[in-house]
Amino acid sequence: MTLFDFFESVELPVPAITPMQAADIAAQHFGVQADVAALGSQQDANFLLRDLTGVPIGVLKIANPVFSRIELEAQDAASAFIAAGEGIRTATNITLAGSPPIAQIDGHGDGDETLFPRIITYLDGGTLSGDAYLRPAQVAGLGALAGRSCRALANFDHPGVDRVMQWDLRHGIRTVKVLAEHITDPGQREVVEAAAARAWQRVTELADDLPIQVIHSDVTGDNVVCDRDGIPDGLIDFGDLVRSWAVGELAVAISSVLCHDGAEPATTLPAIEAFHAIRPLGPAEIDALWPLVVLRAAVLVVSGLQQSSIDDDNTYAVAGQNQELRIFERAMQIPLDVMTAQIRTALGVARSCDPITADATLIAGLDPRDTVRLDLSVESDAMDAGAWLEADCEDRLARAALAGGARAVLTEFGQARLTRSVLLSESSPATVATGVQLWPATPLTITAPWAGALEVAETGDGPLLTVIGSAGTLRIRGGLRLSAAAVPGQSVTAGTDLGTIEGPVWIQCLRHPDTAAPGDAEVPDFVRPDYAAGWLDRVSDPAVLLGLAPTTQPAEDAATLRQRRSRAFAEVQEHYYDQPPRIERGWREHLIGTDGRSYLDMVNNVAVLGHGHPAVADAVARQWRRLNTNSRFNYAAVAEFSARLAATLPESLDTVFLVNSGSESDDLALRLAMATTGRNDIVAVAEAYHGWTYATDAISTSIADNPNALSTRPPWVHTVPSPNAFRGEHRGTEASKYAPEAVAIIEGLAAQGHPPAAFIAEPFYGNAGGMALPDGYLRAVYAAVRAAGGLAIADEVQVGYGRTGRWFWAFQQQDVIPDIVCVAKAMGNGQPLGAVITTREIAESFRTQGYFFSSAGGSPVSCVVGLTVLDVIETERLQENALTVGDHLKSRILGLAARHPLIGTVHGSGLYMGVELVRDRTTLEPAAEETTAICERMLQLGVIVQPTGDRQNVLKMKPPMCLTRESADFFVAMLDRVLSTGW
Ligand code: PMP
């Protein structure tokens, strides 16, 4: 029996079979009565069979008649083999009693075709077809599945696998050559052919060392099915089963990742790592991988165009064309050698790169002692106060160092420069330097570091001098005056005088042998951190050529730091995100990772003024130098700050306690209420969070913070229902029923002999997602608690201090005056600072408990922080900003809600908002998993936002109050992108 040879029958139109004919085949050959629906396929005819109740029976697969029975038998056998060997779900032949596993229909079509229909299992869970975004875990899942398929099939053989397929990458170049004519645009054809040829050349060099075995050869998004989390766990369509290079299994899977939204070469690394963990890649396989991805992409482009040219009814093939081009373009984004080095690094097998040394010093007489190394990293002190955002920051710092007496100033090789960071960017910016910059104080003579050939070119920055030696290529560009010896084409010996450096120059040193292929991009001056390992593999630290020490690369990345943290820091103090970036700087509403990636910070409500505010830093530094002690001493700051704080509140609230946190302020408020009333019972609102101390934890019933919160309340804690007008028991206008309900509970407690000491609530419900309380709620409840002899406590820890825009204190929205106000967070802009503000009389009641003292509460430094924060809120008009930018943001998100049904509602006011995500606007089913996944993807797009609320389905939005309109618009654009393209 002859097996298929693509090059003998290049055209494979899908067998022309209607759903009606398919139903007949199912009935006649398999005795199955079924509803039939066509499924797409590039070259077979597939139909989903359902029974009369709609339950899937299986998939009727009618292979392209060019394939012989033994090939189909091989596919069925391989499928069963993988299922048995790896325990993964695969689509296997359903052999029905009384029917053959593979039926035969002779004389189809023009009468000379034989069809081999069979029914295989239908696997539920859905595929990863289409171009929606894939999470790193899904990408890893695809790689793992390819790894398991490859591992299992290493032990499989069958006479039906030695076929000649266009998808077998061993025939990749031949396929591209045969089908390239289908690319009608000559320019594009040339690009695809050239890319395939280059990739092929690389693969051929390695081919002898590439293991060969049977592979599925089509582990793509279309051919996997997923578990409930959307992670691929099943494999279908064995139609391309073939003996080929084992690593091809992975190359195919990777290429399919590239068509998805936001994918790029670096985002495929989780698949490579997952594959490697299951089926380790050999050195040649690692080196051949990206060339094979490019080759696969080229095959996809030409095959897709060919299939639609012969079969323009095949919507599956036509729809795939854009995807195929996208895969190709993305595979080509990074040169082969750069991506290969990047993969090696990801797999922990990077080649070691010692710096290239010089035979003669490039610049004689440069002494490390009078050469200043300019630190432009995220952690450099020179970057404070947003200095890095000035266009000439690097130059200014260098010139300042020269003015300070340096002979030369040199930047660091391989450093991620904050000065190259870009705010509000959806992808990481090119921050990593592949060379160094040098500023001379006076002209410096340069000599050839090695013997080599010279090249000279003019660039926009000045002359570019290249010395091509045997160990490396030196490139110097910029403020050069070349000597008579610097003649293009000239060969020079080491030490030849090449001219002088008179102004700033850029110096790059390329390694030899240069792994770049002709036509590959030159190494850019700056590269994105995602590919830095790959690019830096091509270059060497030029500082060594100057007789200076090489830059030591920071050894600790974000993941290593996280491990170190978990060794010494109690892990119950959780962290945001699966893989949090390492953030070491903040500026205004931006946080910046050590790789120079900036993130828009939508969650740091504590940093009201924004991060890194120089006014706070300066005031603190000054006060620290002068005095920091405790409030038992007599100094002005404590008097001044207490008065300023009391002045923000209604007249009756005139007495201040200073503490260090929200928990402490709430705890003290409870003690004050208990001392004043002589009672112990407290009424709190369900779903609240008030702190971590023993008492504040007792009154916190948010299950997001403590899953056992409701069942572990001590008897003195009583709750009233969360007055949630969106999804609580009473919704919309019915929400007015919450107040009488709470009143009845308070009255009931009093009647049972447990009149409460206090009622405590956030006056704007921050913990539930930033929702306003129903109108009149606090007025009624405060009246009831006071009627029962208790006090009203407002927890303004999250929502106070102007954040809601319309009010400085959130209780103003409810038109009430509490007896005790608790505040923290914003008060110190991140410095531990909290306060309780109450009446003189209530404050005095504490005397029954002894006296009150908090060592650092009210210290001079804390008071100065508090005063400065109030000053800046005023001078920078941050409450006003919270209102205007907040309103703008809210209206823009409501605009998104018109297009994205997942947005159930937008709660909040000013810059305290919550975007509540629901699966269904009628049932309000919380979209919790979606919310978490959306937050993860937003991080990748440069936005930090987190879930909140008991159902974890609200995006909490409480950014620094200096948020600009531009930043708000960026947030909306990224949310729109995620909601449109997936998470
Ligand atoms: N009350 C409320 C409403 C809060 O949100 C928090 C903190 N999330 C606290 C009190 C406790 O504040 P801290 O973390 O400063 O102790």
Side-chain angles (χ1 to χ4, degrees), residues 751-836:
Q752 292 155 27
H754 289 287
F759 167 78
I760 182 169
E762 285 189 272
F764 208 88
Y765 211 172
N767 200 55
M771 55 186 84
L773 300 177
D775 286 345
Y777 181 81
L778 286 186
R779 185 172 281 279
V781 180
Y782 280 13
V785 76
R786 284 172 177 151
L791 301 180
I793 304 174
D795 180 346
E796 294 270 358
V797 169
Q798 283 218 89
V799 290
Y801 252 61
R803 175 162 287 286
T804 53
R806 289 169 177 76
W807 313 279
F808 189 82
W809 296 107
F811 64 75
Q812 293 170 302
Q813 188 263 346
Q814 289 278 307
D815 202 17
V816 287
I817 299 180
D819 301 304
I820 304 177
V821 172
C822 301
V823 59
K825 299 206 183 203
M827 248 179 105
N829 195 49
Q831 183 68 20
L833 198 50
V836 172

Side-chain angles (χ1 to χ4, degrees), residues 145 238 265 303 526 529 538 590 677 708 754 775 801 889 957:
L145 214 47
F238 283 69
S303 303
F526 294 91
R538 263 204 205 169
H590 309 285
T677 60
N708 303 319
H754 289 287
D775 286 345
Y801 252 61
L889 181 56
M957 301 203 311

